[in-house]
Amino acid sequence: NSKASLHHYAECSILDPTSVDLAISPSLFTDGVDSNSAAKTDIPVLGSVHSLETFSSNDGPGIRALLFLQGCSKRCQYCSNPETRCIVDPYKCPEVAVSDKQIGKVLEKYKQFLQPNNGGITVSGGEPLMQPDFLRLVFGRAKKLSLTTAIDTAGHGNKEIWDK
C-alpha cells in the first residue's frame, strides 16, 4: 500500500525543493490567492495533508488533534516521519488536499474533548512551516474555538515565514 501511495504521488506533481526557504503556500499554486485575502473572504485554502489523528495525549497539553502535513525539504537522519517528506502540490493532487475549513470542522466536532485541560491541535509533518499560509488559517480556526495550538517543526524558513 505504501508503494502504491509513493507511485501515486509521483503522478501528482511532487515538487523538488531547490531552497531551504521554499514555502508551500496558495500563491505558489494558484493565481494570487493568499491567506490574508482568503481569511477576509472565507475562501478555503488547501494544504497538503498526510493524516489527521483526533486523539493524542503526547504532543502538547491536554487532549489534542494531531495534523501531519505532507512535505519537507530537509532530510534529517533522525526524522520521525520520513513518509511525509514528499512535497506535493495540493491543487494537483486532490488525495492530499484538505482545506482549512475542513480541519476547522473536525476541530469543532471534537471541541468538547479537546478543550479541557488546555487541549487543542498540534501540527507536525513533514515540515509545517513549508505551508505557512495554511498553518496560519488552521491555527486561526482553532483559536476561534478557544483551542490551544502547537507546532512541531525543524525550523524551516526565514523570519518572514515565521512571522506569519
Side-chain angles (χ1 to χ4, degrees):
N1 192 9
S2 63
K3 287 184 182 179
S5 296
L6 274 178
H7 174 72
H8 183 73
Y9 284 158
E11 297 171 0
C12 291
S13 303
I14 293 175
L15 300 176
D16 185 21
T18 57
S19 167
V20 294
D21 293 331
L22 173 69
I24 296 176
S25 67
S27 59
L28 185 62
F29 303 118
T30 64
D31 296 326
V33 175
D34 64 30
S35 64
N36 290 328
S37 62
K40 291 175 188 170
T41 59
D42 208 30
I43 297 170
V45 170
L46 295 181
S48 293
V49 174
H50 180 273
S51 59
L52 173 66
E53 297 177 10
T54 55
F55 183 94
S56 172
S57 59
N58 298 323
D59 298 289
I63 297 172
R64 310 195 68 74
L66 185 54
L67 178 64
F68 290 96
L69 298 185
Q70 184 68 44
C72 184
S73 64
K74 299 183 181 291
R75 297 296 180 256
C76 303
Q77 290 182 1
Y78 55 84
C79 181
S80 297
N81 306 307
E83 69 279 7
T84 65
R85 288 179 178 168
C86 292
I87 299 170
V88 182
D89 179 342
Y91 294 90
K92 293 182 180 174
C93 190
E95 289 78 5
V96 299
V98 177
S99 75
D100 62 293
K101 276 186 166 183
Q102 289 172 297
I103 300 298
K105 286 181 182 179
V106 171
L107 295 176
E108 190 170 357
K109 179 179 178 180
Y110 293 103
K111 176 183 172 180
Q112 66 181 347
F113 302 107
L114 299 173
Q115 202 171 35
N117 299 315
N118 293 317
I121 183 170
T122 298
V123 180
S124 188
E127 174 53 65
L129 292 176
M130 288 193 67
Q131 301 183 59
D133 296 320
F134 178 71
L135 180 65
R136 186 168 64 101
L137 291 172
V138 167
F139 278 4
R141 291 185 182 279
K143 294 289 186 183
K144 284 181 183 176
L145 296 169
S146 300
L147 299 174
T148 61
T149 58
I151 183 169
D152 184 3
T153 178
H156 170 85
N158 55 38
K159 185 171 177 5
E160 180 184 342
I161 289 171
W162 299 329
D163 285 346
K164 288 184 176 190

